[in-house]
Structure formats: C-alpha cells, structure tokens
Amino acid sequence: MESSSAASGGSTRREATRQKLYEAAVTLIAEQGFSATTVDEIAERAGVAKGTVYYNFASKSVLFEELLRHGVGLLAASLREAADRTAREGGGKVDALDAMIRAGLVFIDRYPAFTQLYVAELWRTNRAWQSTLMVVRQQVVAVVEDVLRDGVAGGEFSEEIDIPLTASALVGMVLVAALDWKSFQAERSLDDVHAALSRLLQGRVSGCR
C-alpha cells in the first residue's frame, strides 16, 4: 500500500496529466469539431502516449464530458468566490452581480476556446453528454440565482423579478458579449467590456427595486 505522501504525489501527477489532456482536447475540438478530432491528435497535442488518454478516460466522449464538468466547475467556483468576496467587503447584491460579471469575463478571457465550445454545445441536442451539459449549465445559473434570491429577500430587488430567467439572461449576456468581444472586438480591454455590461446591469437589474 502506498504511503499518504506517495499517493498524494501520484494524484497530483495524474491531475496534471488530465489537465494537459483537457487543454489539448478543448483546443482541438474548438478548432475542428468533436467528430474530426481523434484521440491520437489529443495525445500528440498533450505530449503523451495514446494509452495515457485511455488510462485517464474510457473514451473520447468521456474525456469531453469530463472536460465540460471541469471547465464549468471552474467557472461556477469563480463566480461564487466573486459573490462571497463582495459580501465580505460589505457590498450589496448588485455589487455581487457586477463582481460576478467581471469574474465571468476574466474566465472567458483566460479560456476562450472552452467558452466557445461550451456555447456551441448548448445548441446541440443530439450529443450523448446532453444531460451532463444541462447539469453543469445549472451549476453556473444557480450561483446567480442565489444572489438574486438573497437580493429579493433583502429588499434590494423587486419581488416581481423572475429569478430563473433573470439568472439565465445574465449568464447568457456575459457569454455572448464576451465571445463577440474575443471574436470581433479584440481591441477592447476587459475593463471596457466590463464597464459596458455593468451599465446594463445597473440599468436593468438594480432598476427593479
């Protein structure tokens, strides 16, 4: 049996390998599509043997499904941390939503290929991982819903606000605006894009009091 330190080291190495495979897969699939991307290409891009891919993931589909879970999990965690940090600093719920918008833009700026892939997959209904995609999408939306719900309970937002739809709209606004920024308005800074979305937030959500 391995010692705890040896086991920890093995776990760290495996996680590093999986991270390389995620990065290779998301870049290739974003470039040429899921069907056209082969396991051989993923392994080559990651700098590992083909067998390493299958050691970590049973198939290309499983790799992609885990990629979705991993990436969206990171996004949800970054949004939650932004909201929690705002609360610790004494900010209100509008401030929390604004911080979450910025955190979302930072994530997309760092992982544009993943975001492009994620948004593209949301429109497809014939994938084996569709149910997983719906689950991970709800992870992100739920973080925003929690802030909106607390804002309604605290009197900061109108009770008439449709929480699920508003949360989905805010997430969608960030995703679409950020992809447009990266694809067609790359000369803009992250601060510029955040300022524009912040004005929309202030006018639409905080105006619902």
Side-chain angles (χ1 to χ4, degrees):
M1 184 177 292
E2 294 178 318
S3 68
S4 59
S5 59
S8 176
S11 176
T12 300
R13 285 193 298 275
R14 186 175 186 192
E15 187 54 41
T17 299
R18 290 168 73 94
Q19 185 64 41
K20 287 197 296 184
L21 291 170
Y22 287 144
E23 292 172 0
V26 73
T27 302
L28 285 166
I29 295 171
E31 289 173 355
Q32 58 195 33
F34 177 81
S35 298
T37 299
T38 67
V39 171
D40 289 304
E41 289 173 320
I42 293 171
E44 182 180 0
R45 180 70 66 94
V48 302
K50 182 178 179 179
T52 300
V53 180
Y54 288 115
Y55 175 75
N56 286 275
F57 305 100
S59 66
K60 184 176 71 170
S61 292
V62 171
L63 167 57
F64 186 72
E65 191 169 347
E66 289 302 311
L67 169 63
L68 288 173
R69 290 183 183 277
H70 176 72
V72 176
L74 290 177
L75 174 58
S78 68
L79 297 184
R80 190 175 296 107
E81 169 55 27
D84 291 346
R85 184 174 62 252
T86 302
R88 289 195 301 269
E89 295 171 352
K93 298 308 175 185
V94 173
D95 298 319
L97 291 173
D98 189 53
M100 293 164 81
I101 286 174
R102 185 172 187 87
L105 292 174
V106 169
F107 177 90
I108 293 166
D109 190 38
R110 184 175 181 184
Y111 304 110
F114 174 80
T115 307
Q116 179 184 356
L117 191 59
Y118 170 69
V119 172
E121 289 300 315
L122 285 174
W123 290 97
R124 297 190 171 98
T125 58
N126 61 342
R127 300 296 206 191
W129 50 79
Q130 186 66 24
S131 59
T132 296
L133 188 62
M134 293 301 99
V135 169
V136 296
R137 170 199 167 274
Q138 187 56 34
Q139 274 185 264
V140 175
V141 174
V143 178
V144 183
E145 286 180 347
D146 287 344
V147 173
L148 291 171
R149 195 172 290 111
D150 289 345
V152 171
E156 193 169 348
F157 303 143
S158 168
E159 293 182 358
E160 296 178 359
I161 197 170
D162 186 320
I163 291 174
L165 189 58
T166 301
S168 296
L170 287 171
V171 172
M173 175 183 75
V174 174
L175 289 173
V176 173
L179 287 177
D180 185 85
W181 161 43
K182 303 301 290 184
S183 299
F184 305 112
Q185 304 184 61
E187 73 281 0
R188 290 182 179 271
S189 69
L190 190 150
D191 287 339
D192 286 341
V193 180
H194 176 222
L197 298 186
S198 182
R199 283 191 289 272
L200 284 174
L201 171 71
Q202 296 291 339
R204 301 303 300 170
V205 177
S206 62
C208 293
R209 297 184 189 185

